[in-house]
Amino acid sequence: MDCPLDYSLCDQTVTSYRRERDGSVARTVHPRAFLDFKKVRNVEKTGSADAASFLLVVPGSADIREGDKVLMGDGPEIGPSDWASFIPSKVRGLCVVRWTDPKHWRGEVCHVEAGG
C-alpha cells in the first residue's frame, strides 16, 4: 500500500489476546506497533478520580477488537484456565481494548487505532 503516513514511531512489539468462542485463547504478536499510556481525570457529580487510558496504533489491517487484551512486548502464552486472572489489576501493563478505529487511505486500511 502506498500510504503517506510515517510509521517510524511504530517500533514497539505488543501482544494481543482474544478469548475465542471455543474457550481457547488466541495470541498474536504485533512487531510493529505504538502503545502509549496516559493518566486522565474522570469528573463526575460526586467528584473526580484518576484513571488510566491508552492508545494503540498498529500499521496495516491488524485484527484488534473490543474486549481484546494487549500487553507490551512479546507476551507469554496463556491458556483458558489463565484467562480469568489475566486482568490489568494482576498483570502490570495489561490493557483491555474498549474501542477500535481502522483508518483508511485510498480505500484500504492504513492502520488500526485502539484504546481504552
Side-chain angles (χ1 to χ4, degrees), residues 9-10 14-15 20 27-28 57 74 96-97 101 103 106:
L9 293 177
C10 293
V14 300
T15 305
E20 300 290 359
R27 174 183 171 270
T28 305
V57 178
D74 189 345
V96 178
V97 175
D101 189 10
K103 300 298 183 180
R106 295 185 177 168

Side-chain angles (χ1 to χ4, degrees), residues 14-32:
V14 300
T15 305
S16 64
Y17 299 88
R18 176 177 304 140
R19 183 79 181 250
E20 300 290 359
R21 289 186 178 173
D22 66 0
S24 65
V25 178
R27 174 183 171 270
T28 305
V29 176
H30 303 277
R32 291 185 57 222

Side-chain angles (χ1 to χ4, degrees), residues 76-91:
E77 296 278 348
I78 67 164
S81 61
D82 305 314
W83 185 256
S85 62
F86 195 64
I87 55 176
S89 64
K90 292 186 177 184
V91 180

Side-chain angles (χ1 to χ4, degrees), residues 2-102:
D2 186 25
C3 186
L5 298 176
D6 176 10
Y7 291 109
S8 61
L9 293 177
C10 293
D11 60 354
Q12 300 167 321
T13 297
V14 300
T15 305
S16 64
Y17 299 88
R18 176 177 304 140
R19 183 79 181 250
E20 300 290 359
R21 289 186 178 173
D22 66 0
S24 65
V25 178
R27 174 183 171 270
T28 305
V29 176
H30 303 277
R32 291 185 57 222
F34 174 79
L35 180 59
D36 183 46
F37 298 95
K38 66 180 179 178
K39 190 183 287 189
V40 295
R41 179 159 298 270
N42 290 339
V43 179
E44 299 178 7
K45 290 180 183 180
T46 57
S48 63
D50 289 337
S53 177
F54 73 94
L55 172 67
L56 172 66
V57 178
V58 182
S61 58
D63 184 17
I64 305 287
R65 300 181 200 166
E66 291 179 31
D68 286 359
K69 297 177 183 181
V70 176
L71 186 63
M72 181 72 79
D74 189 345
E77 296 278 348
I78 67 164
S81 61
D82 305 314
W83 185 256
S85 62
F86 195 64
I87 55 176
S89 64
K90 292 186 177 184
V91 180
R92 184 181 175 103
L94 184 69
C95 355
V96 178
V97 175
R98 299 288 178 222
W99 57 267
T100 61
D101 189 10

